[in-house]
Amino acid sequence: MLDIFDRIPDGLLDLESTQLWQLLKHPTLIHLEGDRQPALFVSILLHGNETTSWLAMRELLRKYQNKKLPRSLSLFIGNIEGAKYRQRHLAHQPDYNRIWQVGDSSEPLPEQIMAQKVITEMRSRGTFASIDIHNNTGKNPHYGCITHLDKHSRHLARLFEKTVVYYTSPKTVQSYAFGKFCPAIVLECGQPDKPDGTAHALEYVETCLNLDSFDDLPDSAIADINLFHTVAIVKVPEEINFSFTGESNDDITFPSEMDCLNFCELPIGANFGAAKTERAYLSALSEEGEEQGDRYFQIQNGKIILKAPVMPSMLSFNTDIVRQDCLCYLMERLPNPE
C-alpha cells in the first residue's frame, strides 16, 4: 500500500491535489537528495480536504526543479483517494492522521501497516525533523503543535509562529510517532486554499531545509513563545442531535459563529450552546482518555456553560468534521520552560 520513489514522477507538479490519483496509486514516499543530511520529512494530505500542504510543497518543488535542495527531503503524500474528492477521509477509510500507532488487541489495518513502514524507513535513514502540514475548517490563527517540550522542538515551533500548542494525545497521530526519534511539528495553516497559508507553509519548510542545526539557534529565540497545553478533546456523543442553525430535532444548538471563539481565553460561565432537551450533554476526554465532561461543562437555564476557564481551538461549524473528529480541543496556558 506504499510506493517509494527517489525522484518526482513526471507530470506530478502539474497536478492539483484532486488529480494526484491519476499518477499516484497509493500513499507515496519520495526521497529527494539535497546538500545536507539527514533529510527533512514532510507529510502532506493526511486529510484529503486540507490542500495547503500540496500547494506549498508543489511550489517549493517547482522552485528547486533545476537545482539541488539545500537539505535532503522526504515527502510523504498521504490520502490520495480522499484528496480526489476533497474529503478528510472517505467512508471506507480510517483517518490518515490516526493510523500511526498499532494497538495490541486487534489485527492492524492495511493503513496502519503502511504507516509503520514509513516510520521504519525514516527512522533507519535518520530524520532531521518532521513537519506535518494541516488546515482547519473553522477560523483559527496559524500555529504549531508539538508533542515534546525540549528546546529543539520549541525552536522548530517558534520558527513557524509564536503560538504553540503542546499535546500528548491522541497518540495515533503522525507527529506523536515521529516525535519519538526527531523534533516533530504539526503546522496548522488556517483554512484551505488561502494564499497566506500556502506562503507561510512554503517559507517555513524552506527555512527548515536551510537550517544547519537546532543547536545553532539561541535560547532567546524561544523566550517569547505563547505556550498552551491541550487538556481535553470535546466530542458530541453519537446519540445527540445538534446543529448550528437551530433545527427542530436539536438536542444542542451551537452558536452559528462559534468558531470566533477559537484561541480566546474564555472565563467560567461562558456560553457554549443551547441545551434543547434533557438528554443534551457534551463529552470531554482528557489526554489519558478519561471522561471529564462534568469538569468543564454544566447546563444552567437551558445553556451549556463552562465550569473552568479554558481556550478552545479547532471549533468548526462543519457538522461532518464535528462528527468525524471533534467539536473542539480545550487548552490551558503553560509557562514557557527555562
Side-chain angles (χ1 to χ4, degrees), residues 3 22 63 100 123 142 144-145 158 171 198 204 320-321:
D3 290 329
Q22 297 173 12
K63 180 176 179 178
W100 298 85
R123 191 194 289 268
H142 296 180
C145 302
R158 182 62 186 91
K171 292 178 170 49
T198 299
Y204 177 78
D320 290 336
I321 297 299

Side-chain angles (χ1 to χ4, degrees), residues 101-109 112:
Q101 178 174 289
V102 178
D104 299 326
S105 59
S106 60
E107 188 73 21
L109 298 171
Q112 291 174 314

Side-chain angles (χ1 to χ4, degrees), residues 30-43:
I30 304 174
H31 298 301
L32 302 174
E33 196 70 22
D35 287 331
R36 296 175 180 85
Q37 297 287 349
L40 177 70
F41 177 84
V42 179
S43 63

Side-chain angles (χ1 to χ4, degrees), residues 233-250:
I233 179 171
V234 180
K235 293 179 176 285
V236 181
E238 287 186 15
E239 70 273 15
I240 299 298
N241 297 318
F242 74 93
S243 77
F244 295 89
T245 54
E247 302 301 318
S248 59
N249 66 337
D250 279 357

Side-chain angles (χ1 to χ4, degrees), residues 169-324:
S169 179
K171 292 178 170 49
T172 52
V173 299
Q174 184 276 333
S175 59
Y176 190 89
F178 272 66
K180 294 178 180 179
F181 58 88
C182 71
I185 188 170
V186 177
L187 304 187
E188 295 290 354
C189 300
Q191 294 176 321
D193 304 319
K194 301 289 187 182
D196 65 324
T198 299
H200 198 176
L202 170 62
E203 178 186 19
Y204 177 78
V205 172
E206 192 163 18
T207 295
C208 291
L209 286 170
N210 281 284
L211 188 63
D212 284 320
S213 168
F214 290 107
D215 291 326
D216 295 339
L217 300 173
D219 290 348
S220 58
I222 53 176
D224 65 347
I225 281 177
N226 292 320
L227 184 64
F228 299 92
H229 177 215
T230 299
V231 293
I233 179 171
V234 180
K235 293 179 176 285
V236 181
E238 287 186 15
E239 70 273 15
I240 299 298
N241 297 318
F242 74 93
S243 77
F244 295 89
T245 54
E247 302 301 318
S248 59
N249 66 337
D250 279 357
D251 295 303
I252 299 173
T253 300
F254 295 112
S256 59
E257 295 297 324
M258 197 174 185
D259 59 352
C260 292
L261 299 178
N262 283 324
F263 283 85
C264 294
E265 293 184 86
L266 302 178
I268 294 173
N271 180 17
F272 232 71
K276 297 293 189 66
T277 67
E278 291 184 356
R279 68 177 195 156
Y281 76 103
L282 292 175
S283 168
L285 297 176
S286 72
E287 289 201 303
E288 292 73 36
E290 298 173 352
E291 177 56 61
Q292 295 189 336
D294 289 343
R295 176 180 177 182
Y296 294 104
F297 300 105
Q298 68 179 8
I299 296 176
Q300 193 174 89
N301 299 323
K303 294 181 179 180
I304 301 172
I305 63 172
L306 286 176
K307 292 175 65 176
V310 290
M311 172 184 282
S313 67
M314 293 196 181
L315 281 165
S316 165
F317 52 81
N318 184 316
T319 56
D320 290 336
I321 297 299
V322 174
R323 287 297 190 196
Q324 288 180 343

